Amino acid sequence: MIATERDGDVCVITLSRAERRNALTLDALDALEAAVDATEAPVVCLRGAGPAFCAGADLGVVADLPDREAAKRFARRGQAVARTIEMADPVVVAAIDGPARGGGVELALACDLRVATPEATFAESGVTIGLLGAWGGTVRLPEVVGRGEAMDLALSGRVVDAEAALRMGLVSRVVDDPRTVAANVASNDPDALRALKQRLRDDADRETRERREAAAFAALHADFERE
């Protein structure tokens, strides 16, 4: 369900269940988390096999959840995997080529960069089947695109194309091959990449963040002086 390959300084993690549009089961979530944890590359490129990025949670698994507690555990498991992606040391680039739906959008939101091809489309489609995005979608979507756009996407369940996603800030670039963006990021200093991700992800108060920024600069400068 998850394939991993090293391409220079980029670890390419592929959701490899193309026949199900890379829909995720619990086993796939476990494997994805393990793959992110195990990588030693400074950059991860997360992609989907076949014509889709990720259809989100496998609806067969969702339908078989026996009760509210099981449903809550399933949601929490997806949230934990998204958090692992968000807090991982490597910079994680979502390479979105084709449809991203529901949990697929939510995994992409947890990544540091979202890069789409012209064929990419996006929808928070839970509302259309009486559910909602529970892998951190209601938290991260307004943080990324703003509350107004998040309300529109989540309440309508509508599909947006790559250019619309770019305009609203859901993706940062639209390119023919997102792996080139991952490779470009990986060409930078790995210690600086790690420090920048930590600082940009920091949600402490402003004074604390500025103090940590100065400390991170000083730590990098110690190596810079020796070069």
Side-chain angles (χ1 to χ4, degrees):
M1 293 183 182
I2 305 295
T4 303
E5 65 173 312
R6 185 72 179 255
D7 183 9
D9 286 330
V10 178
C11 175
V12 181
I13 298 177
T14 302
L15 310 176
S16 55
R17 200 183 176 208
E19 73 283 0
R20 295 284 294 169
R21 301 207 310 166
N22 304 313
L24 295 167
T25 63
L26 280 169
D27 287 344
L29 287 171
D30 290 344
L32 174 57
E33 184 175 51
V36 173
D37 277 337
T39 185
E40 297 179 355
V43 174
V44 167
C45 180
L46 179 63
R47 60 181 295 273
F53 174 68
C54 179
D58 187 305
L59 292 181
V61 175
V62 174
D64 287 341
L65 295 169
D67 53 37
R68 289 189 179 189
E69 284 306 310
K72 187 182 296 184
R73 287 194 298 272
F74 184 73
R76 295 293 289 170
R77 187 72 193 100
Q79 291 169 358
V81 175
R83 185 68 173 168
T84 293
I85 292 170
E86 186 175 60
M87 300 307 295
D89 280 344
V91 173
V92 185
V93 179
I96 306 157
D97 183 14
R101 300 288 185 269
V105 174
E106 293 174 295
L107 289 182
L109 287 169
C111 295
D112 303 301
L113 293 175
R114 287 165 296 283
V115 182
T117 69
E119 290 71 37
T121 60
F122 304 81
E124 270 287 23
S125 49
V127 70
T128 65
I129 57 173
L131 294 171
L132 56 77
W135 291 352
T138 62
V139 177
R140 293 188 182 89
L141 187 60
E143 291 176 348
V144 171
V145 302
R147 181 173 293 179
E149 294 282 17
M151 285 285 191
D152 183 15
L153 288 171
L155 297 178
S156 69
R158 70 188 180 98
V159 177
V160 298
D161 63 18
E163 288 300 326
L166 180 65
R167 287 194 296 272
M168 68 178 64
L170 185 55
V171 300
S172 58
R173 304 192 208 183
V174 177
V175 300
D176 290 331
D177 184 2
R179 290 178 62 160
T180 62
V181 177
N184 176 257
V185 172
S187 69
N188 293 305
D189 181 85
D191 292 332
L193 287 175
R194 187 180 303 108
L196 276 165
K197 175 171 178 171
Q198 291 172 348
R199 299 283 54 80
L200 291 167
R201 288 288 193 186
D202 196 345
D203 58 2
D205 63 87
R206 185 186 184 96
E207 183 178 350
T208 299
R209 284 184 285 130
E210 289 180 343
R211 186 170 64 251
R212 290 171 178 171
E213 179 186 69
F217 175 79
L220 291 171
H221 185 264
D223 291 331
F224 175 79
E225 288 184 309
R226 291 195 290 268
E227 292 180 356

